[in-house]
Amino acid sequence: VTDPDNLFDNTIGILENTGGRGRSWERPVSIEFIDPDNPTASMQTNAGLRMHGNGSRGSAKNSLRLLFRADYGPKKLNYPLFGEDFVAQKFNTVVLRAQAANSWISGRSEDRKSTTYLQDSFAKDTQGAMGQPHSGSAFVHLFLNGTYWGLYNPTERPDGSFGEDHFGGDDTDYDAVNRRFSVEVQSGTKTHWDEMITHSNTNLSSKAEYE
């Protein structure tokens, strides 16, 4: 729930200006997680909301990101969003994936034919089942100011905060890079990334070099 202008105003609304990025395009919201099967597990807190994604920003259904900081309330979401047994129980940010790629609103017929809304979560859960670090994943029905907005897939964003939440330390202890039009540093540096790319471009002709 938020002031409607934060979503729909031509000047400041994030859903009317889907290309907006960064802190200046973050808007305050009150969020509730409602579990009809377990009312005692329901939760309310405050957060920031901004657009998420790249190519999907031109889609009819947009991905969003919740950010938790002292400006709004608690610095982290302290809630078992992905189950009581999941390794991380506190989160700096949660991505609300619209799942636009393989969906019924995709412009590509092959995407619409393969729509299950399960591909991404299945890959993450399978990685976890093999004992490897993985992002938490769930499914919710999202309402914005009381209006049903569709099926969304809350998940973790694998950045420095993810490293902090899963392995300890501070988010600045971790290098996290993202590739949009170029390699962008989310936390730490890309020094080791650049070294890896340079090595892989020239020195993978033998097993010894690969190792």
Side-chain angles (χ1 to χ4, degrees):
V1 175
T2 187
D3 187 317
D5 285 350
N6 288 333
L7 300 175
F8 306 115
D9 182 79
N10 289 333
T11 303
I12 67 168
I14 61 174
L15 293 178
E16 291 295 326
N17 299 275
T18 57
R21 297 179 182 275
R23 189 72 175 269
S24 64
W25 285 100
E26 188 174 303
R27 302 292 179 260
V29 294
S30 168
I31 66 168
E32 285 185 90
F33 181 80
I34 301 169
D35 185 348
D37 294 325
N38 185 11
T40 60
S42 299
M43 168 273 295
Q44 185 279 327
T45 190
N46 298 325
L49 181 72
R50 64 171 73 169
M51 298 297 300
H52 183 81
N54 189 38
S56 64
R57 288 174 181 247
S59 171
K61 182 182 178 185
N62 302 118
S63 292
L64 302 164
R65 182 148 49 104
L66 293 165
L67 299 101
F68 302 92
R69 32 172 136 257
D71 295 349
Y72 309 111
K75 292 182 179 180
K76 287 180 178 284
L77 174 64
N78 187 2
Y79 183 78
L81 184 61
F82 307 114
E84 297 284 352
D85 297 328
F86 189 67
V87 61
Q89 297 291 312
K90 297 181 180 180
F91 310 97
N92 283 16
T93 185
V94 173
V95 174
L96 300 174
R97 295 183 61 249
Q99 309 175 99
N102 296 115
S103 74
W104 294 322
I105 63 171
S106 173
R108 302 196 318 163
S109 61
E110 55 265 42
D111 286 337
R112 296 193 297 273
K113 290 176 182 177
S114 64
T115 293
T116 66
Y117 295 111
L118 295 174
Q119 291 99 321
D120 194 84
S121 287
F122 177 79
K124 292 172 181 173
D125 291 348
T126 301
Q127 186 165 321
M130 293 189 292
Q132 301 300 316
H134 66 293
S135 299
S137 184
F139 291 94
V140 298
H141 293 289
L142 178 66
F143 291 80
L144 293 180
N145 286 0
T147 299
Y148 182 61
W149 222 250
L151 178 69
Y152 274 72
N153 172 211
T155 187
E156 293 177 278
R157 188 178 191 229
D159 56 12
S161 295
F162 173 90
E164 176 186 328
D165 295 338
H166 280 251
F167 309 114
D170 188 77
D171 58 354
T172 57
D173 296 332
Y174 299 91
D175 293 343
V177 299
N178 185 38
R179 178 63 182 260
R180 193 161 73 234
F181 303 111
S182 62
V183 176
E184 300 175 348
V185 177
Q186 305 296 326
S187 66
T189 73
K190 67 184 187 80
T191 301
H192 294 303
W193 170 272
D194 289 339
E195 291 174 353
M196 178 186 69
I197 295 301
T198 298
H199 189 84
S200 66
N201 283 338
T202 57
N203 298 317
L204 296 184
S205 58
S206 69
K207 186 176 186 298
E209 287 289 355
Y210 185 86
E211 296 291 346

